[in-house]
Amino acid sequence: DARVTQTPRHKVTEMGQEVTMRCQPILGHNTVFWYRQTMMQGLELLAYFRNRAPLDDSGMPKDRFSAEMPDATLATLKIQPSEPRDSAVYFCASGPGSLGEKLFFGSGTQLSVL
Amino acid sequence: GQQVMQIPQYQHVQEGEDFTTYCNSSTTLSNIQWYKQRPGGHPVFLIQLVKSGEVKKQKRLTFQFGEAKKNSSLHITATQTTDVGTYFCAGSGTSYGKLTFGQGTILTVHP
């Protein structure tokens, strides 16, 4: 089964440290989304790529977050410096790139910033 | 920006009872999708609705898209313990492919 792969599954770090989360989208998919899930805010869209180009990152705090797609098989989300309020589950999802596409989610990265 | 509101936030039912969650968008949607997330899991696609007034069924699940394409609902008939989880609607408006998720409805089913 084709699936979206996210690493690491869990990350515990101290405030101020850099955090890098990685995502391997499904082969052939050309859209990639990063979502953050918390109990209070639900699923928030952080960034959205199509054909590796960032289309929308308005939901992402620019001062500390950055998202990139160095190649078609890898998307990264970095937080530097991390803060306790960044603790959440971060999901990557990919889609085939057609209007109204369904998204395939990875298993997520559970981030805890102490 | 586009906002998608979903109610109720929580729903507790006895096994065998029906369940409905509602989704409302601040803007007209080009399509709406529904996802299910099991506890500790990730969202999994259930269905997509595109046409005004569209109704789709998947076994005990019935999905509707409003005539104005601004609201949707998911109805589960005779819930089972396997239905437990969080149900999300997600709407796509004028931004090509960008999905905005509702807050989700957490469903618990008591046997």
Side-chain angles (χ1 to χ4, degrees), chain A:
Chain A
D1 276 348
R3 61 179 64 185
V4 176
T5 303
Q6 284 187 253
T7 57
R9 288 295 310 276
H10 304 274
K11 176 72 175 179
V12 180
T13 190
E14 293 186 345
M15 182 173 63
Q17 296 297 305
E18 177 177 303
V19 175
T20 299
M21 290 169 272
R22 294 177 173 80
C23 169
Q24 181 177 359
I26 291 174
L27 187 65
H29 282 188
N30 63 2
T31 58
V32 173
F33 296 76
W34 283 103
Y35 286 93
R36 174 171 63 185
Q37 186 173 38
T38 60
M39 284 298 295
M40 293 298 294
Q41 300 296 328
L43 276 165
E44 299 175 274
L45 178 64
L46 297 176
Y48 162 39
F49 291 80
R50 180 176 293 275
N51 295 323
R52 295 176 55 200
L55 288 192
D56 189 332
D57 60 2
S58 58
M60 197 166 66
K62 302 294 190 305
D63 57 337
R64 299 184 298 108
F65 284 62
S66 63
E68 295 180 345
M69 279 201 74
D71 61 62
T73 64
L74 176 64
T76 62
L77 180 66
K78 292 186 181 181
I79 309 174
Q80 169 62 25
S82 58
E83 297 181 2
R85 59 179 168 153
D86 301 328
S87 298
V89 180
Y90 290 81
F91 286 107
C92 173
S94 72
S98 55
L99 182 63
E101 62 191 327
K102 76 179 193 182
L103 297 185
F104 294 79
F105 280 77
S107 298
T109 294
Q110 172 93 55
L111 174 64
S112 297
V113 183
L114 306 177

Side-chain angles (χ1 to χ4, degrees), chain B residues 49-110:
Chain B
L49 304 170
V50 178
K51 299 176 183 177
S52 169
E54 188 170 13
V55 178
K56 287 189 176 180
K57 292 189 176 183
Q58 288 180 348
K59 298 182 180 178
R60 295 177 295 104
L61 278 61
T62 301
F63 304 84
Q64 292 188 321
F65 201 7
E67 293 290 339
K69 300 184 75 173
K70 295 181 72 173
N71 58 76
S72 181
S73 65
L74 158 59
H75 179 82
I76 302 178
T77 303
T79 55
Q80 300 175 357
T81 54
T82 53
D83 295 326
V84 163
T86 303
Y87 291 85
F88 292 97
C89 62
S92 179
T94 56
S95 295
Y96 189 85
K98 175 180 174 180
L99 272 182
T100 301
F101 279 77
Q103 287 285 86
T105 296
I106 301 172
L107 173 65
T108 55
V109 179
H110 301 285

